[in-house]
Amino acid sequence: MIDVHGTTTFAALYTAAARHALEAERNTVADGGVAPVRVSSDAAFFSQVCGELMAGRTPLILPSRIPRKAADQAAEAVRRTRLDCRPWKAVLTVLHGRQVAVVTHGESPGAPRKAQALGMTRGGRILLAAPLHLNGPFEFALRQLLLGGSVVLLPSFSADRWARAIQRERPDWAFLVPTQLQQVLDTVGDATTGQICAPLRYLVHSSEPCPPTLGERLAAALGPRLSEYYGTTMYDGTLTRHEASSGMPLPGAELRIVDRQGWPVAQGATGRIEGRSRCGLLNHPAGETCHSAPTWQGVGDIGRLLPGGLLQVTGTDVEGRVIVAGVKVSPEETRQVLLEHPSVSACTVTVRPHGRFGSVLAAVVESVSPELTTAALRSWCAQRLTSPQRPHALELRPCLPDPKRESHA
C-alpha cells in the first residue's frame, strides 16, 4: 500500500493488523464486537480495518468528521444487527432522506468475484483519490488488497496531483467521480489526459450520472479504457464499457425494474431499480431483521431493462437525497447540525445547481445572537460534517420577533 507516508508492504500491513487484532479481541465483550473506525487515506487505516476483520469483529467505517451522537447511534444499530448475523463491514449511506448504517455479510471480502468484474487483477495496481468512508472506494481498496497487488492512496484530490500520481506510480486501474474527471480534462486538456492515462487498462467512474457532454469527451480521450460502474450500498449493479448507454449486471447480481407498488414491469418500461445477490453477498440497513435469503432492495433510482438484460439508468434524483461532487448527502442531516448550534433558532437548507460539483447545499439561518458570524457557523459545520454535507452558500439572518407574542405582551 502506497500513501503519503511511503510504501507499506503486505507483510508489514499483516503484522500491524495482527497486532491490532489481539487488542481488538479484548474489547469485544465491552463494545459488542463493533469497531467504529474513522477513515484516513493511509495504510494505518487499513491495518486497523483488517485487524478488526481478523478478530471477527465488524468495522463501522465513519467519515473523519461526524457528530458523536450520530456515530454512537450507528454503532448501536450495528450491534443489534450482530445478534442476527455477522456482518464483515458497515458503512453510512443516505436512505429515505436520512443517514443510516448499512451492513454487509455473506460473501467474503476476499472473494475475487466483484474485484475481477470491475477489472481488477491479481498483482494489479490501483489508484484511489475518493473519500474512503464511501462504500465504493472503500470496497475497491479492500478487495484489491485482499485479491493481491498494490493500492495507491491520495490524501486529497486535485487534477495536477492525480496526474502526477498516474505518471509516478503507473497504476493499471483508477477510480474517479465525474466531477473529478471534469477537473482533470479542464486542467490538463483532453489530449493530454489521454496521454497521461496511458498506463491504465481501466479508468472507472461512478457515484453520480456522467453528463453526456463529459462522457463524449472522456470517450474520445480514453476510448475502451473508460468504464462506468453503477451500484449502490444495498446491491451490486452494472458495468458499462466505453460509449454504451447501458450496462450488463455484474456476475452474481440480479436486477429488475418495478412500479410504485413493487410489481415488476415489462421490458423497456421505466420504473424503480431493485437488486439482489445470487452469490451470497447480503446487504441491509443496520438494526433491521436479517434475512437468510437475499431480498429485492432499492434506493429509489430510476431505470429500464433493455433486451439482453442490459440496465439503463435514467434518473438518480431521490427525495431527501442530493449528490454533491459524487457524494450522497441528506439536506435534513445538515439542517439538524445547524439547528444544534445554541445560537440558531431556525434554519432552511435547499439544493442549488453548481457548475463544478453538480449540486450544492445552501442554508439560510436565523440566529438569536447578534455575535454569531458566518465564519463561526462554518467552523461549527467543519467540525461535524464532511465537505459535501456543508452548506456551500450560507446566509445568516437575525431572529425576528414573533408579532403574536409581542402583541400579547
Side-chain angles (χ1 to χ4, degrees):
M1 184 162 284
I2 303 168
D3 60 20
V4 68
H5 306 296
T7 300
T8 303
T9 65
F10 189 88
L13 192 68
Y14 179 86
T15 300
R19 188 182 304 117
H20 182 85
L22 292 175
E23 179 66 27
E25 289 176 350
R26 291 194 286 267
N27 297 330
T28 298
V29 174
D31 60 20
V34 176
V37 183
R38 293 185 183 251
V39 75
S40 59
S41 294
D42 54 25
F45 166 69
F46 280 97
S47 66
Q48 184 177 358
V49 167
C50 291
E52 298 294 341
L53 293 174
M54 291 167 67
R57 291 157 53 82
T58 304
L60 167 60
I61 310 304
L62 298 173
S64 57
R65 293 181 177 88
I66 182 174
R68 177 66 179 272
K69 180 180 178 181
D72 290 344
Q73 289 174 341
E76 180 56 33
V78 178
R79 288 188 191 99
R80 293 198 304 271
T81 302
R82 279 178 61 93
L83 299 176
D84 293 325
C85 61
R86 297 300 294 268
W88 57 263
K89 75 168 171 66
V91 297
L92 299 181
T93 192
V94 177
L95 291 175
H96 312 301
R98 62 189 183 93
Q99 191 169 246
V100 300
V102 171
V103 298
T104 302
H105 58 103
E107 184 186 48
S108 165
R113 175 193 62 91
K114 189 170 182 179
Q116 292 176 342
L118 294 173
M120 301 178 199
T121 60
R122 297 187 184 278
R125 193 178 185 90
I126 74 171
L127 172 66
L128 295 172
L132 293 175
H133 66 271
L134 303 179
N135 186 60
F138 172 74
E139 274 209 26
F140 299 153
L142 184 62
R143 290 182 183 279
Q144 176 64 88
L145 185 66
L146 297 178
L147 181 65
S150 302
V151 178
V152 182
L153 301 174
L154 293 185
S156 59
F157 172 81
S158 74
D160 290 334
R161 183 182 294 115
W162 187 83
R164 289 195 299 270
I166 290 281
Q167 294 175 310
R168 181 180 67 251
E169 304 297 345
R170 311 293 290 181
D172 56 46
W173 190 100
F175 169 82
L176 290 177
V177 302
T179 55
Q180 293 173 324
L181 285 167
Q182 182 77 60
Q183 293 178 54
V184 171
L185 290 177
D186 292 345
T187 301
V188 305
D190 295 27
T192 304
T193 296
Q195 297 170 7
I196 289 171
C197 293
L200 296 177
R201 291 182 302 103
Y202 293 116
L203 175 58
V204 179
H205 62 92
S206 184
S207 300
E208 61 182 327
C210 186
T213 303
L214 175 60
E216 292 172 3
R217 293 176 64 188
L218 289 169
L222 298 168
R225 291 173 292 173
L226 181 67
S227 296
E228 180 171 11
Y229 170 60
Y230 166 76
T232 76
T233 309
M234 304 301 294
Y235 53 83
D236 288 346
T238 66
L239 192 66
T240 302
R241 301 292 190 191
H242 194 21
E243 298 175 337
S245 60
S246 56
M248 283 295 297
L250 300 184
E254 191 174 2
L255 301 172
R256 70 177 185 179
I257 307 298
V258 300
D259 59 21
R260 292 182 180 275
Q261 287 71 44
W263 293 98
V265 301
Q267 179 178 286
T270 300
R272 289 189 295 108
I273 303 171
E274 289 188 342
R276 67 180 182 183
S277 172
R278 290 185 281 102
C279 62
L281 183 67
L282 303 176
N283 303 276
H284 60 85
E288 292 190 3
T289 301
C290 176
H291 300 281
S292 58
T295 56
W296 290 105
Q297 300 183 86
V299 297
D301 293 345
I302 304 299
R304 62 170 66 94
L305 285 179
L306 304 178
L310 294 169
L311 174 72
Q312 184 178 57
V313 181
T314 59
T316 58
D317 292 334
V318 177
E319 185 177 357
R321 185 190 80 184
V322 61
I323 301 177
V324 178
V327 180
K328 298 178 181 65
V329 302
S330 164
E332 178 60 21
E333 296 277 350
T334 299
R335 191 179 79 89
Q336 289 300 325
V337 167
L338 287 166
L339 286 174
E340 288 172 0
H341 192 286
S343 297
V344 172
S345 58
C347 173
T348 59
V349 176
T350 56
V351 181
R352 294 180 181 176
H354 191 273
R356 179 178 177 183
F357 301 121
S359 297
V360 294
L361 300 183
V364 177
V365 177
E366 292 186 11
S367 172
V368 296
S369 170
E371 298 180 357
L372 181 64
T373 64
T374 55
L377 206 50
R378 288 191 182 279
S379 178
W380 172 271
C381 292
Q383 296 171 30
R384 294 162 175 80
L385 297 170
T386 62
S387 181
Q389 292 175 308
R390 300 172 207 160
H392 187 267
L394 182 59
E395 182 181 350
L396 188 59
R397 298 176 180 176
C399 179
L400 299 178
D402 188 338
K404 294 182 180 179
R405 187 172 298 173
E406 288 201 347
S407 65
H408 288 304

